[in-house]
Amino acid sequence: MPTGDSQLVFVFGNSRADGDRTMKSLLGGKGANLAEMSAIGLPVPPGFTICTKVCHDYDESGRHWPDGLRDEVARGIEHIESAMGQGFGDTENPLLVSVRSGAAVSMPGMMDSVLNLGINDAVVAGLVKKTGNARFAYDAYRRFIDMFGDVVMGVPHQAFEDVITHLKSERGAKSDVDLNADDLKLLVERYKSVYEKHVGEPFPDSARKQLTLSINAVLNSWNSDRAVKYRRINQITGLIGTAVNVQAMVYGDLNDNSGTGVCFTRDPGSGKPGLFGEFLINAQGEDVVAGIRTPTPISRLEEVMPGPFAELSEWARKLEQHYRDVQDMEFTIQDGELFILQTRSGKRTGHAAIKIAVDL
């Protein structure tokens, strides 16, 4: 990987980081945070950040990738493959990734996340074989077609929503979770038809093409009308573009030895040390915040998954020492393995703030 001023892609994860939290202007807020977390050894899903300079050069050149970017992105994918022991586009042991924007300042109008990228008909079959969970695999596939179609290619989300609503009506299902693997397999085919109707070409089954189009969508979103207007109204100046974060997918909904949750490193009301938050078994991150299911207090995690709970508690202690502040953490447990997705300074009451300041 090139270094210095010529470097365009910065890897993180697997106890390696090409950057740290001081590099927000180059790596964006999210990229700098992921680098910092990796540098201190957190079990962060591995990935890479395409720096903000690429966005600037891309715009200046009439939307062409700068020299060397394609090779650096390929090496970034190799880093994730090596760390996860999986292959991007591989049908036996598939690696799926997420793609997210990440400017130095968070702003509306930037591209939303694309999850489960790298999936196609052959990969989903491999995922079914590897996990033994066809419903999980086809649910990931249909979510990807919806997100990619909407966020990257401009297919109206409502077009996909109408199709799933119609299928639920056909099956007498009250919610998405009532659809079985065969229903979701049929939904994938119907989603592909929606995509082709709006885009005018079949859904791309090449993982590399999916990735290229998604990276372009992030770079293009920097100059979307909404993002430009937001920067002007809020007098945000001096930024040269957005970074692009590509990261390995981990799944809290893989099986009953998996889960996802959010927690503070101490009680934000009293400032008392100890994990404070909630989690869901066999669920994705959005299920916790969406209110689809009722979460369980984090204290119960110690009973159902003692190993991950002990590891999470130890990282909470280390993070407080490192940042000298109470942390608000997001985590996923995939088949018993803990991954920390994000950490940031947590909000707290005035009373708690005094206790935390004294303690730390």
Side-chain angles (χ1 to χ4, degrees), residues 108-329:
M110 300 302 296
M111 194 195 88
D112 295 327
S113 302
V114 175
L115 308 179
N116 306 321
L117 189 148
I119 200 166
N120 58 31
D121 291 354
V123 166
V124 80
L127 210 53
V128 172
K129 191 175 175 184
K130 185 189 171 195
T131 63
N133 189 338
R135 195 194 181 282
F136 157 77
Y138 281 99
D139 191 45
Y141 197 1
R142 68 96 183 173
R143 286 174 191 255
F144 172 60
I145 297 170
D146 182 349
M147 281 186 186
F148 182 87
D150 173 26
V151 172
V152 177
M153 303 304 292
V155 181
H157 170 65
Q158 191 58 45
F160 295 111
E161 202 60 35
D162 291 344
V163 170
I164 193 172
T165 300
H166 184 69
L167 182 62
K168 283 190 287 191
S169 176
E170 283 178 30
R171 297 293 188 265
K174 287 182 180 177
S175 75
D176 300 5
V177 295
D178 297 322
L179 298 173
N180 64 27
D182 288 336
D183 296 333
L184 293 172
K185 192 172 182 178
L186 175 61
L187 192 60
V188 163
E189 294 310 312
R190 292 185 180 179
Y191 273 12
K192 281 194 210 166
S193 297
V194 169
Y195 179 94
E196 188 163 355
K197 178 185 168 189
H198 282 84
V199 178
E201 58 185 50
F203 191 79
D205 61 3
S206 160
R208 304 280 166 174
K209 184 175 181 182
Q210 293 170 2
L211 181 60
T212 298
L213 290 170
S214 298
I215 289 170
N216 287 347
V218 175
L219 299 175
N220 292 336
S221 71
W222 177 252
N223 280 322
S224 70
D225 291 344
R226 196 169 170 216
V228 170
K229 192 172 184 180
Y230 182 85
R231 290 198 293 273
R232 187 175 66 244
I233 289 169
N234 291 279
Q235 298 179 334
I236 298 170
T237 58
L239 303 182
I240 60 172
T242 180
V244 186
N245 297 295
V246 179
Q247 190 172 20
M249 289 293 301
V250 290
Y251 296 96
D253 60 342
L254 186 62
N255 52 34
D256 287 337
N257 196 31
S258 305
T260 187
V262 291
C263 66
F264 290 88
T265 52
R266 58 180 63 214
D267 187 328
S270 67
K272 181 184 173 186
L275 296 182
F276 181 90
E278 51 195 19
F279 75 101
L280 281 171
I281 292 289
N282 201 344
Q284 285 199 315
E286 59 251 41
D287 298 339
V288 177
V289 291
I292 299 166
R293 288 164 52 191
T294 306
T296 306
I298 199 80
S299 55
R300 281 268 295 129
L301 186 64
E302 188 170 16
E303 298 169 36
V304 295
M305 294 186 190
F309 178 83
E311 195 182 347
L312 185 64
S313 300
E314 180 61 16
W315 278 119
R317 187 184 64 77
K318 288 179 179 176
L319 281 168
E320 277 204 345
Q321 287 180 344
H322 181 77
Y323 286 103
R324 292 282 177 218
D325 201 355
V326 61
Q327 294 296 296
D328 176 2
M329 304 158 62

Side-chain angles (χ1 to χ4, degrees), residues 27-40:
L27 303 180
K30 186 167 186 63
N33 190 31
L34 287 165
E36 182 78 11
M37 290 162 65
S38 300
I40 60 177

Side-chain angles (χ1 to χ4, degrees), residues 69 89 149 166 351:
L69 179 61
H166 184 69
H351 170 75

Side-chain angles (χ1 to χ4, degrees), residues 55-101:
C55 185
H56 174 265
D57 293 349
Y58 176 81
D59 285 334
E60 291 288 302
S61 67
R63 299 189 169 181
H64 296 292
W65 281 26
D67 291 344
L69 179 61
R70 202 164 297 281
D71 289 342
E72 286 194 48
V73 166
R75 284 194 287 269
I77 288 290
E78 286 170 8
H79 162 72
I80 306 177
E81 289 176 324
S82 172
M84 295 296 288
Q86 298 169 332
F88 190 53
D90 184 79
T91 56
E92 299 295 317
N93 189 17
L95 167 71
L96 303 184
V97 299
S98 63
V99 178
R100 294 181 173 90
S101 60

